[in-house]
Short mmCIF file of all heavy atoms in Angstrom, two decimals:
data_model
loop_
_atom_site.label_atom_id
_atom_site.label_comp_id
_atom_site.label_asym_id
_atom_site.label_seq_id
_atom_site.Cartn_x
_atom_site.Cartn_y
_atom_site.Cartn_z
N HIS A 5 -0.03 -10.61 5.98
CA HIS A 5 1.15 -10.32 5.17
C HIS A 5 0.72 -9.77 3.83
O HIS A 5 -0.30 -10.10 3.31
CB HIS A 5 2.07 -11.55 5.04
CG HIS A 5 1.48 -12.68 4.26
ND1 HIS A 5 0.57 -13.54 4.81
CD2 HIS A 5 1.65 -13.06 2.98
CE1 HIS A 5 0.22 -14.42 3.89
NE2 HIS A 5 0.86 -14.15 2.78
N HIS A 6 1.57 -8.89 3.36
CA HIS A 6 1.27 -8.22 2.10
C HIS A 6 1.80 -9.08 0.94
O HIS A 6 2.92 -9.44 0.88
CB HIS A 6 1.92 -6.84 2.05
CG HIS A 6 1.27 -5.88 2.99
ND1 HIS A 6 0.39 -4.95 2.56
CD2 HIS A 6 1.36 -5.73 4.32
CE1 HIS A 6 -0.02 -4.24 3.58
NE2 HIS A 6 0.56 -4.70 4.66
N ALA A 7 1.20 -9.46 0.62
CA ALA A 7 1.62 -10.12 -0.58
C ALA A 7 1.51 -9.19 -1.86
O ALA A 7 1.95 -8.18 -1.77
CB ALA A 7 0.71 -11.29 -0.76
N LYS A 91 1.17 0.12 -2.80
CA LYS A 91 2.59 -0.23 -2.81
C LYS A 91 3.09 0.08 -4.21
O LYS A 91 2.67 -0.53 -5.18
CB LYS A 91 2.80 -1.70 -2.48
CG LYS A 91 4.27 -2.08 -2.43
CD LYS A 91 4.47 -3.47 -1.91
CE LYS A 91 5.89 -3.65 -1.41
NZ LYS A 91 6.03 -4.91 -0.69
N GLU A 108 0.77 -12.74 -10.20
CA GLU A 108 0.81 -12.78 -8.74
C GLU A 108 -0.26 -11.89 -8.13
O GLU A 108 -0.89 -12.26 -7.14
CB GLU A 108 2.20 -12.38 -8.23
CG GLU A 108 3.25 -13.44 -8.51
CD GLU A 108 4.63 -13.07 -7.99
OE1 GLU A 108 4.78 -12.03 -7.32
OE2 GLU A 108 5.56 -13.85 -8.26
N VAL A 170 -0.38 -17.71 5.28
CA VAL A 170 0.55 -18.28 4.30
C VAL A 170 -0.08 -19.48 3.61
O VAL A 170 0.02 -19.64 2.39
CB VAL A 170 1.90 -18.66 4.96
CG1 VAL A 170 2.77 -19.46 4.02
CG2 VAL A 170 2.63 -17.40 5.42
N ALA A 173 -2.53 -18.25 1.08
CA ALA A 173 -1.81 -17.74 -0.09
C ALA A 173 -1.30 -18.88 -0.96
O ALA A 173 -1.46 -18.86 -2.19
CB ALA A 173 -0.65 -16.84 0.36
N HIS A 174 -0.72 -19.88 -0.34
CA HIS A 174 -0.21 -21.03 -1.09
C HIS A 174 -1.33 -21.76 -1.83
O HIS A 174 -1.12 -22.22 -2.95
CB HIS A 174 0.53 -22.00 -0.16
CG HIS A 174 1.86 -21.48 0.28
ND1 HIS A 174 2.72 -22.22 1.05
CD2 HIS A 174 2.48 -20.29 0.08
CE1 HIS A 174 3.81 -21.52 1.29
NE2 HIS A 174 3.68 -20.35 0.72
N VAL A 178 0.22 -18.38 -4.52
CA VAL A 178 1.06 -17.23 -4.20
C VAL A 178 2.15 -17.66 -3.22
O VAL A 178 1.86 -18.17 -2.15
CB VAL A 178 0.22 -16.08 -3.58
CG1 VAL A 178 1.13 -14.93 -3.15
CG2 VAL A 178 -0.84 -15.61 -4.54
N ILE A 179 3.39 -17.44 -3.62
CA ILE A 179 4.53 -17.70 -2.77
C ILE A 179 5.14 -16.35 -2.42
O ILE A 179 5.54 -15.60 -3.31
CB ILE A 179 5.60 -18.58 -3.48
CG1 ILE A 179 4.97 -19.84 -4.05
CG2 ILE A 179 6.77 -18.87 -2.55
CD1 ILE A 179 4.37 -20.77 -3.02
N HIS A 180 5.18 -16.00 -1.14
CA HIS A 180 5.57 -14.65 -0.73
C HIS A 180 7.02 -14.32 -1.04
O HIS A 180 7.33 -13.23 -1.45
CB HIS A 180 5.28 -14.44 0.76
CG HIS A 180 5.41 -13.03 1.19
ND1 HIS A 180 6.62 -12.41 1.39
CD2 HIS A 180 4.48 -12.10 1.46
CE1 HIS A 180 6.43 -11.17 1.76
NE2 HIS A 180 5.13 -10.95 1.80
N ARG A 181 7.96 -15.18 -0.83
CA ARG A 181 9.39 -15.02 -1.11
C ARG A 181 10.15 -14.13 -0.14
O ARG A 181 11.37 -14.01 -0.24
CB ARG A 181 9.63 -14.50 -2.53
CG ARG A 181 9.25 -15.46 -3.62
CD ARG A 181 9.75 -14.94 -4.96
NE ARG A 181 9.33 -15.83 -6.01
CZ ARG A 181 8.40 -15.54 -6.91
NH1 ARG A 181 7.80 -14.38 -6.87
NH2 ARG A 181 8.08 -16.41 -7.82
N ASP A 182 9.47 -13.43 0.75
CA ASP A 182 10.20 -12.54 1.67
C ASP A 182 9.43 -12.39 2.98
O ASP A 182 9.10 -11.29 3.39
CB ASP A 182 10.42 -11.18 1.01
CG ASP A 182 11.39 -10.30 1.81
OD1 ASP A 182 12.21 -10.85 2.57
OD2 ASP A 182 11.31 -9.07 1.67
N ILE A 183 9.15 -13.51 3.62
CA ILE A 183 8.42 -13.45 4.89
C ILE A 183 9.42 -13.17 6.00
O ILE A 183 10.27 -13.99 6.32
CB ILE A 183 7.65 -14.77 5.16
CG1 ILE A 183 6.60 -14.97 4.09
CG2 ILE A 183 7.01 -14.73 6.54
CD1 ILE A 183 5.85 -16.27 4.19
N THR A 184 9.31 -11.96 6.55
CA THR A 184 10.16 -11.53 7.65
C THR A 184 9.27 -10.79 8.65
O THR A 184 8.16 -10.36 8.29
CB THR A 184 11.27 -10.56 7.17
OG1 THR A 184 10.64 -9.36 6.69
CG2 THR A 184 12.12 -11.17 6.07
N ASN A 187 7.83 -7.67 7.30
CA ASN A 187 6.84 -7.78 6.24
C ASN A 187 5.52 -8.41 6.71
O ASN A 187 4.64 -8.66 5.90
CB ASN A 187 7.37 -8.61 5.08
CG ASN A 187 8.42 -7.85 4.29
OD1 ASN A 187 8.44 -6.62 4.31
ND2 ASN A 187 9.28 -8.57 3.61
N ILE A 188 5.42 -8.67 8.00
CA ILE A 188 4.18 -9.21 8.57
C ILE A 188 3.56 -8.09 9.41
O ILE A 188 4.22 -7.48 10.24
CB ILE A 188 4.45 -10.45 9.42
CG1 ILE A 188 5.01 -11.57 8.53
CG2 ILE A 188 3.18 -10.91 10.15
CD1 ILE A 188 5.53 -12.77 9.29
#
Side-chain angles (χ1 to χ4, degrees):
H5 67 281
H6 290 259
K91 183 172 200 170
E108 289 181 6
V170 170
H174 287 184
V178 176
I179 308 297
H180 191 284
R181 293 190 182 108
D182 191 24
I183 297 176
T184 65
N187 287 336
I188 297 170

